[in-house]
Amino acid sequence: PAHFDCRVEPVGDPTMKIEWFLNGAQIGAGSRVHMMDDFGFVVLDLEWTFARDCGEYVCRATNKWGQATTKASLKIRSKHGVDMNTQLPQGMTAEKLKELEQGPLTERHDTEPSDEPPKFTVPLKNVTIEEGERAFFEANVEPKTDPNLKIEWYYNGKPLQSGHRFRTTYEM
């Protein structure tokens, strides 16, 4: 992670605009880039860094009377022995890999659909872990032979999408 902070005055100026730049290009907030401007305390945080994040960072404060800048450099030492070449097999693309990780789209069963509602035979259990550790949730649901049975995971009431942080699997 990288952290830059500075103080800017006048505090509480409603016309004050804070902008961050890396090597002359304006930086936008994102999933790993966080900016804060609170009572004159200005922060730029990069949650994790890559070689492309090296360079000169400039914080520019502008109000109706003018502007001021401050700058700092970020140097990142690369990890020795890290193979930066793709580990995908010849001809495999990241898109194809993501498609394969999603699993089968449909699975055929020779049995008739069940006339009973789904029932959890083993319910989910609460999990307590340390920050940064993996959480594993498991449940069993019947009828397993129903080809129309659809399993959906939700987090805080919203559908959970499989991705690099969340992986859902099922076995029939």
Side-chain angles (χ1 to χ4, degrees):
H3 174 85
F4 298 93
D5 62 62
C6 54
R7 305 266 312 153
V8 65
E9 292 180 349
V11 175
D13 180 352
T15 67
M16 185 73 70
K17 179 180 177 184
I18 303 295
E19 298 169 293
W20 287 92
F21 299 86
L22 170 58
N23 299 324
Q26 189 166 4
I27 301 171
S31 61
R32 69 181 188 97
V33 179
H34 304 282
M35 301 173 198
M36 184 181 77
D37 174 13
D38 195 18
F39 297 105
F41 185 67
V42 180
V43 174
L44 172 68
D45 280 321
L46 305 177
E47 292 220 8
W48 56 91
T49 56
F50 301 101
R52 68 178 184 252
D53 296 321
C54 288
E56 182 181 74
Y57 284 80
V58 174
C59 178
R60 181 171 68 194
T62 307
N63 69 8
K64 63 183 176 181
W65 294 284
Q67 69 179 25
T69 61
T70 185
K71 57 187 166 185
S73 291
L74 177 63
K75 295 178 182 174
I76 300 172
R77 291 183 303 272
S78 63
K79 293 183 179 181
H80 297 291
V82 175
D83 186 357
M84 299 305 284
N85 295 321
T86 181
Q87 302 298 305
L88 294 174
Q90 178 102 20
M92 176 72 70
T93 63
E95 291 77 22
K96 179 67 175 169
L97 181 62
K98 188 173 182 178
E99 197 176 295
L100 290 170
E101 285 179 341
Q102 289 179 349
L105 298 177
T106 59
E107 194 168 308
R108 294 187 55 92
H109 295 279
D110 294 333
T111 57
E112 291 295 315
S114 174
D115 290 338
E116 59 185 272
K119 176 176 82 174
F120 285 96
T121 57
V122 176
L124 292 172
K125 293 182 175 75
N126 293 332
V127 175
T128 302
I129 59 171
E130 296 294 322
E131 186 173 353
E133 291 182 339
R134 289 179 182 227
F136 182 77
F137 296 94
E138 182 177 22
N140 289 355
V141 65
E142 293 283 341
K144 291 182 182 181
T145 57
D146 184 349
N148 298 320
L149 182 65
K150 182 177 179 184
I151 305 294
E152 297 176 306
W153 287 87
Y154 289 81
Y155 174 69
N156 289 339
K158 295 180 181 171
L160 188 64
Q161 301 294 321
S162 284
H164 72 282
R165 289 190 58 222
F166 302 102
R167 180 163 295 126
T168 60
T169 61
Y170 64 91
E171 296 175 14
M172 297 303 262

